[in-house]
Amino acid sequence: MTLEIIPSGQACGAEICGVDLTAPLDAETIADIRAAWLDHQVLSFPDQEMSDADLERFTLYFGPFGDDPFIAPIPGHEHIIAVQRAGDETAPIFAESWHTDWSFQPEPPSGTCLFGITIPPQGGDTLFANQYLALEQMPADLRGKLVGQKAIHSAKNAYAPGGMYGDSDKANGRSMTIIASPEAEAVYLHDIIRVHPETGRESIFGTAGYITGFDGMTLEDGWELLTELYRWQTRPEFQYRQSWQENMLVMWDNRCLLHMATGGYPGHDRLLHRTTIGAA
């Protein structure tokens, strides 16, 4: 089986054709997909009529399942969550802010797989920001402020009872089953500049939202640095825009990317199934 790899021409991303993800893959094909994933950070696979079992099998080619906290799994599949929105929903768009999936965990996940089931006729693109490039092109003065720093990661601003998806969010009629918890208050430290364990390349890891400050800094100084970093790492020249189709699988590398959801599809239902690739 020979993969056709079509680079996006943007800051990252490629489309993969010539493979059937509804059937088991041989070791050579898996290795080729992994190589393309590491090269392009985001891969899209159009025209894949995958079942939930297919999605689970594909995920396990690239690592163990990761833990998905604060969101209930779909019935019968403890490692799949539904990213969904009803056409008449008025709650804020889920994940419409830059982030790295579950960076607040002690061992953050390697990647994410997201499969399009019900896709609106317009809107709903996913944006990615290449953090290899953001670091490589970063001004020396900003990089100097980051070298050796450990960022404080926490889910409290999102998933604590008083957070964005906490008690007040339930009143908005959100269709996703989000389970806010005091456990979201936990904090973990991660180097803000990390070496990718497979490529050996340095990148920025994480952004404001799940990062609440820097170890050893005052809240004010940490927020000032975090704001300066955010403005740099999300610049348009580091971005890739992924448009969606039904039966499309997209996988991305959380170790060197930021991503965010977008809206623009009022009146239309949207449903995707998601798995997490755990740390190797």
Side-chain angles (χ1 to χ4, degrees), residues 100-180:
T100 299
D101 283 340
W102 310 148
S103 70
F104 52 78
Q105 294 179 331
E107 294 188 19
S110 298
T112 301
C113 297
L114 191 59
F115 180 70
I117 298 172
T118 303
I119 302 299
Q122 73 280 323
D125 293 351
T126 302
L127 302 181
F128 295 90
N130 185 331
Q131 297 304 286
Y132 289 139
L133 291 183
L135 184 62
E136 289 168 3
Q137 299 181 24
M138 180 178 288
D141 61 338
L142 176 54
R143 180 166 182 146
K145 297 175 187 178
L146 297 176
V147 171
Q149 295 290 349
K150 290 187 178 293
I152 303 168
H153 293 247
S154 175
K156 65 181 182 180
N157 291 335
Y159 296 107
M164 181 183 299
Y165 302 117
D167 296 337
S168 62
D169 187 63
K170 293 181 179 180
N172 290 324
R174 184 176 299 281
S175 55
M176 288 182 64
T177 307
I178 297 177
I179 307 168

Side-chain angles (χ1 to χ4, degrees), residues 161-213:
M164 181 183 299
Y165 302 117
D167 296 337
S168 62
D169 187 63
K170 293 181 179 180
N172 290 324
R174 184 176 299 281
S175 55
M176 288 182 64
T177 307
I178 297 177
I179 307 168
S181 169
E183 293 180 4
E185 298 282 350
V187 299
Y188 295 96
L189 301 182
H190 299 298
D191 292 336
I192 190 65
I193 297 177
R194 296 208 317 176
V195 175
H196 193 292
E198 294 188 74
T199 67
R201 298 175 64 185
E202 288 186 324
S203 73
I204 306 165
F205 182 69
T207 191
Y210 289 154
I211 295 180
T212 60

Side-chain angles (χ1 to χ4, degrees), residues 46-60:
D47 303 319
Q48 304 286 339
E49 297 187 14
M50 299 172 72
S51 66
D52 289 328
D54 294 332
L55 176 59
E56 291 170 326
R57 182 184 62 250
F58 180 84
T59 303
L60 290 174

Side-chain angles (χ1 to χ4, degrees), residues 10 13-15 42-45 124-128 240-245 248-250 262 270:
Q10 301 177 47
E15 181 178 292
V42 187
L43 300 181
S44 63
F45 300 81
D125 293 351
T126 302
L127 302 181
F128 295 90
Y240 162 65
R241 178 179 289 269
Q242 175 68 62
S243 297
W244 284 91
Q245 305 166 14
M248 172 180 278
L249 176 73
V250 175
T262 68
R270 187 172 185 265

